[in-house]
Amino acid sequence: MTPDRVEIIQRKLRMLRQFLTDLESYSTLDTQGRRREHYAVERLLQLLCESSADLGLQLLRLEGHPLASSYREVFAVLRDRLDLPEDLASALMDACAMRNLLTHLYDSIDLDRVIGTIEPALEVYGRFERWVRSRVA
């Protein structure tokens, strides 16, 4: 692994950690507080998906695998080529489906669904962060 590639991955891991820390601050809010802050929560969910997929692309590039063209495909290729656990790959695909819903405004947005994703997102993206760190350690 070249020093440049290591620095890129480390920088992206720091960003992912910051997004997780920021989202964690909303986990202490009650339902009303979460509803008031839903735009911030939505944005953090978007950033978590995008930064995780970007980290995945960096790992694929590092290992010489073809790059995926969608978020879903990134996590599928990580599962198939780099042994990302099946359940984690599936959870990341689902989490990024929420990102697509939020960023493209496909339908009316269910705020209760959005604010209910805070804890699951912290768990899934935190687990992905640990998995990436274990691969580059």
Side-chain angles (χ1 to χ4, degrees):
M1 190 178 314
T2 67
D4 288 347
R5 187 68 56 202
V6 171
E7 174 51 34
I8 289 168
I9 292 172
Q10 292 299 330
R11 186 177 68 244
K12 291 180 181 300
L13 277 166
R14 285 190 301 273
M15 290 172 60
L16 180 63
R17 169 57 22 216
Q18 185 60 58
F19 300 146
L20 284 165
T21 299
D22 292 346
L23 185 62
E24 200 169 83
S25 69
Y26 294 99
S27 69
T28 61
L29 297 177
D30 62 10
T31 301
Q32 291 292 18
R34 289 178 181 209
R35 289 178 73 84
R36 277 193 305 273
E37 298 295 329
H38 73 93
Y39 290 120
V41 171
E42 290 172 18
R43 177 68 172 144
L44 286 166
L45 293 172
Q46 176 187 353
L47 291 168
L48 283 163
C49 169
E50 292 171 359
S51 64
S52 294
D54 195 29
L55 268 164
L57 287 171
Q58 292 298 322
L59 289 174
L60 292 173
R61 180 177 288 129
L62 180 68
E63 300 282 335
H65 296 293
L67 298 183
S69 60
S70 70
Y71 296 128
R72 175 174 283 285
E73 190 179 337
V74 168
F75 301 119
V77 174
L78 288 173
R79 177 197 62 213
D80 297 343
R81 304 286 177 121
L82 299 182
D83 299 320
L84 179 67
E86 172 73 37
D87 64 318
L88 181 54
S90 179
L92 287 161
M93 290 179 206
D94 290 345
C96 284
M98 170 66 82
R99 175 254 176 223
N100 289 338
L101 176 71
L102 295 173
T103 58
H104 299 296
L105 297 174
Y106 289 133
D107 243 336
S108 61
I109 294 180
D110 180 348
L111 290 185
D112 290 327
R113 183 173 172 207
V114 171
I115 65 174
T117 62
I118 293 173
E119 285 79 10
L122 289 169
E123 192 277 322
V124 167
Y125 291 113
R127 190 170 160 211
F128 181 69
E129 176 194 23
R130 291 186 299 277
W131 180 81
V132 172
R133 286 187 189 284
S134 75
R135 295 207 52 99
V136 296

